[in-house]
Amino acid sequence: MAWTHPLSARVEHGPDLLGGKAHGLLTLRRLGLPVPAGFVVTTEACRSFLREGRVPRGLRGEVAAAVTALEAETGRRFGDPRSPLTVSVRSGASVSMPGMMTTILNLDPSHDADGTDPLEALHRAITEVFSSWDTPRARTYRALHGVPDDLGTAVTVQVMVRGDRDEHSGSGVAFTHDPNTGEHGPFGEVLFGRQGDAVVSGTTLTSPLGELADRQPAVWTDLLTALDRVEEHHRDACYVEFTHESGRLWILQLRPARLVGAAAVRVAVDLAQAGVITREEALSRVAPPHLRHVRTPRLVLPDGRPPLARGVGACPGVAVGRVATSAERAVRMAAREPVVLFRPETSPLDMRGLAASAGIVTARGGPASHAAVVARSLGTPAVVGVGDLTVGPEAIHVGGHRVAEGTLVTVDGTGGELVLGRARVTTGGAGARLEQLLTWADEVSGGSVETGADTEESRLRAAHAVLRA
């Protein structure tokens, strides 16, 4: 059994063995898009490690051979201080678990002071990623999303490209559609002169993706080409992570955008009406629970007064709850009543608090930050990038006000507004796209379910049942 595979367009295995990350990279390679060289250690190797408590027999030799191939491809040597081969070591399960497992960047054992053999340092990094499959935050995420505990994670090892190399470098993320509305067109954020972890962690203020067109027009043109190509291939909204190094674009990750609510309905219906996918495919791409969020509620500001603060709407919906200033307190308080978790930014360590909260607000981060990604996966209204928000141990300070923990607040994850107390909420109509999707559902099911606003999920479920039969 082979425990490793190169990131080559010739590799035909699927995400169950290679993990979703590596499978996406292979797709990029087949589409002729720029991907840094690397190799993947399979999920089966991880499962063996978790069963036996040690790496499987033969893995060390395969990793050594894969590193030798990387050295030949790049002209650099792993562990050589004169021309070091620096790599990233990333997790990648077959089901996306954003930020829940270990990532190791800039692995360069030539800088180790203890004289560690370079390959031994790489083996330690791989086993560290394997072990992170069983961390409490990863177990919590799997329980919330129904992900089996026995899948294991693949490990992708890639040559590092540097978003912080010079003034013509940077990193960013891009969606082919707005993840909040489903509107077609490039949407995302970028950081100039920084590595990609600063973008997705939410620790740094980002710029709108469109600024790349002004600062690096050649990179922008290449990115638009890449986005068109991946969307044409998947026939769906997609998400990519990228780095540009000294004016050259590299794509580091590709996955479906996994839109929810009104955005999912809009993309599915638009693609079907354009003839890109069939009506049956459009129906299958919208999960019935998505319909609970289609009529997105919006808060009505009292007496026309401005909100307490504004940020970036990261996940649509309105949440009302008590202010909680840490993940631990959010879990305790949520046992009694709904809470809104306030953090400078979130990390995987906050997972239990994020899951327990009715709403999420962060001082930093953008639409692709950890808080935003997790909020969308949970369907939790969220606001990120509230610039004047400070989170203390017993209160938050925002808009010139001190707001004690336990204070009731309302958060609008569409418009990005935050107000004190319980605000009035309004809900928009279903919209033509939802009505079109439900018409198709009735045609497939034969109209066997009574129509009406309270049975929309049932109508879609009936169509799904027919399509699965």
Side-chain angles (χ1 to χ4, degrees):
M1 176 181 292
W3 302 113
T4 68
H5 295 278
L7 292 179
S8 165
R10 295 187 299 274
V11 175
E12 296 293 338
H13 297 293
D16 288 348
L17 185 68
L18 303 179
K21 179 177 177 60
H23 186 257
L25 294 173
L26 294 181
T27 298
L28 291 166
R29 279 279 173 95
R30 295 187 190 106
L31 294 175
L33 295 171
V35 176
F39 63 92
V40 59
V41 184
T42 66
T43 58
E44 185 54 47
C46 178
R47 290 191 287 269
S48 176
F49 172 83
L50 295 173
R51 287 193 306 266
E52 306 296 332
R54 56 180 175 81
V55 298
R57 188 184 305 275
L59 176 60
R60 289 176 177 267
E62 290 190 32
V63 170
V67 168
T68 298
L70 283 185
E71 292 175 336
E73 185 172 350
T74 63
R76 290 181 282 171
R77 184 176 175 83
F78 198 66
D80 184 346
R82 295 167 299 178
S83 181
L85 176 63
T86 306
V87 298
S88 63
V89 183
R90 302 176 186 267
S91 62
S94 58
V95 178
S96 178
M97 295 172 55
M100 295 301 119
M101 290 175 288
T102 295
T103 290
I104 299 168
L105 302 178
N106 304 311
L107 182 64
D108 180 8
S110 66
H111 293 165
D112 285 357
D114 59 3
T116 300
D117 176 71
L119 284 177
E120 184 59 33
L122 185 52
H123 290 306
R124 286 203 308 253
I126 291 171
T127 57
E128 186 176 341
V129 175
F130 282 166
S131 298
S132 70
W133 175 258
D134 269 339
T135 58
R137 63 179 182 267
R139 292 198 298 269
T140 297
Y141 187 92
R142 291 199 296 273
L144 287 170
H145 293 274
V147 178
D149 285 330
D150 60 355
L151 292 182
T153 181
V155 179
T156 302
V157 179
Q158 277 185 288
V159 176
M160 287 290 298
V161 288
R162 307 291 308 213
D164 58 356
R165 179 171 294 280
D166 54 34
E167 62 181 2
H168 301 293
S169 303
S171 301
V173 299
F175 295 84
T176 60
H177 292 69
D178 186 318
N180 290 325
T181 68
E183 181 180 0
H184 186 255
F187 179 95
E189 50 193 315
V190 65
L191 271 176
F192 298 98
R194 299 293 299 274
Q195 291 285 76
D197 57 323
V199 179
V200 297
S201 68
T203 57
T204 306
L205 182 64
T206 58
S207 299
L209 182 64
E211 288 195 16
L212 186 63
D214 298 325
R215 295 273 296 268
Q216 295 290 318
V219 174
W220 174 252
T221 298
D222 289 345
L223 178 62
L224 293 182
T225 298
L227 293 176
D228 287 343
R229 203 169 292 176
V230 298
E231 183 170 15
E232 181 181 3
H233 172 80
H234 277 292
R235 300 180 304 134
D236 201 357
C238 294
Y239 164 92
V240 302
E241 297 177 9
F242 66 91
T243 287
H244 55 285
E245 181 185 62
S246 300
R248 182 179 182 184
L249 176 71
W250 297 92
I251 309 295
L252 306 181
Q253 179 150 315
L254 164 66
R255 60 170 172 77
R258 292 193 295 273
L259 306 183
V260 298
V265 171
R266 176 172 182 169
V267 171
V269 171
D270 285 355
L271 289 174
Q273 291 181 327
V276 176
I277 61 176
T278 65
R279 294 178 178 183
E280 291 75 14
E281 286 175 303
L283 289 167
S284 66
R285 289 184 181 183
V286 180
H290 286 171
L291 301 190
R292 302 171 194 172
H293 306 288
V294 170
R295 290 182 171 86
T296 304
R298 296 292 307 274
L299 68 83
V300 179
L301 297 176
D303 303 323
R305 288 175 291 174
L308 179 65
R310 274 196 175 94
V312 177
C315 185
V318 173
V320 181
R322 304 286 177 180
V323 171
T325 60
S326 74
E328 295 76 14
R329 283 191 284 275
V331 172
R332 291 199 301 268
M333 294 168 61
R336 301 188 300 272
E337 56 186 327
V339 300
V340 175
L341 175 62
F342 286 77
R343 299 294 299 144
E345 70 272 338
T346 66
S347 79
L349 298 176
D350 296 315
M351 191 61 221
R352 290 182 66 242
L354 292 167
S357 300
I360 300 164
V361 180
T362 64
R364 296 187 284 271
S369 64
H370 179 267
V373 172
V374 172
R376 283 193 291 270
S377 73
L378 296 172
T380 302
V383 176
V384 298
V386 181
D388 61 347
L389 171 65
T390 302
V391 182
E394 298 178 351
I396 63 170
H397 292 81
V398 62
H401 297 269
R402 179 185 186 275
V403 182
E405 187 167 63
T407 301
L408 190 69
V409 295
T410 302
V411 173
D412 186 333
T414 302
E417 294 101 353
L418 167 67
V419 299
L420 292 174
R422 186 183 298 274
R424 187 162 66 90
V425 174
T426 183
T427 302
R433 289 182 176 87
L434 176 58
E435 294 297 346
Q436 181 64 79
L437 187 78
L438 292 174
T439 297
W440 293 341
D442 293 340
E443 291 172 354
V444 167
S445 66
S448 58
V449 178
E450 179 185 356
T451 60
D454 59 342
T455 62
E456 289 169 351
E457 281 191 60
S458 299
R459 293 165 69 184
L460 187 55
R461 288 185 193 281
H464 279 203
V466 172
L467 293 173
R468 288 194 300 267

